[in-house]
Amino acid sequence: MIAPFWGPMLDCPDPQALAEFYQRIGGGTIAVSSENFAELRCDGVSLGFQRDLNYRATTWPDPRVPQQCHLDFKTDDLDTAEAQSIAAGATKSAVQPHPSAFRVLLDPAGHPFCLSTWGTEAGPPESR
């Protein structure tokens, strides 16, 4: 091993606000916060947020501004998790490729993320 995995880093216009949003979605502790960087620590992995003054939200699924990555969150109850995520500040994407197992939402900076039953008892048999 060359270096252990720390976690993904998301570019955004407001690191503190996006760290707080993802804390509402997935829990964890905001360990570092400044104007240019925030770190959310969650069960052995960290999610970093760095200020990008030229940040442009993805236009997914339109490829003009592609998504570079997205995050998935496990849930046994898509409807409840979707409603709670929207109450926390997410918006539901108009495009829902597999709504029975995945719900695509957008964070306040426009990054897509998924709520998924994959790997849970409520998920597709091939995921268990």
Side-chain angles (χ1 to χ4, degrees):
M1 174 174 62
I2 295 170
F5 181 68
W6 178 82
M9 181 76 62
L10 296 177
D11 290 351
C12 60
D14 185 343
Q16 177 66 32
L18 206 54
E20 290 171 358
F21 169 79
Y22 278 109
Q23 184 180 43
R24 289 190 299 271
I25 299 296
T29 302
I30 297 174
V32 177
S33 181
S34 72
E35 182 180 354
N36 293 313
F37 175 77
E39 177 189 357
L40 179 62
R41 292 184 185 160
C42 304
D43 296 329
V45 69
S46 287
L47 183 56
F49 308 90
Q50 63 186 9
R51 181 179 306 278
D52 180 347
L53 298 176
N54 297 311
Y55 175 75
R56 292 181 3 182
T58 179
T59 55
W60 178 89
D62 181 328
R64 285 178 290 155
V65 180
Q67 66 174 343
Q68 287 80 33
C69 76
H70 73 274
L71 305 173
D72 285 356
F73 295 88
K74 279 187 182 183
T75 181
D76 287 323
D77 185 340
L78 286 171
D79 293 333
T80 298
E82 177 183 311
Q84 291 172 334
S85 296
I86 290 169
T91 56
K92 187 172 182 177
S93 171
V95 176
Q96 298 293 324
H98 305 287
S100 63
F102 294 90
R103 300 285 170 83
V104 182
L105 294 104
L106 305 173
D107 72 21
H111 301 105
F113 69 96
C114 292
L115 302 171
S116 175
T117 58
W118 193 266
T120 71
E121 286 299 314
E126 66 272 20
S127 73
R128 291 183 239 137

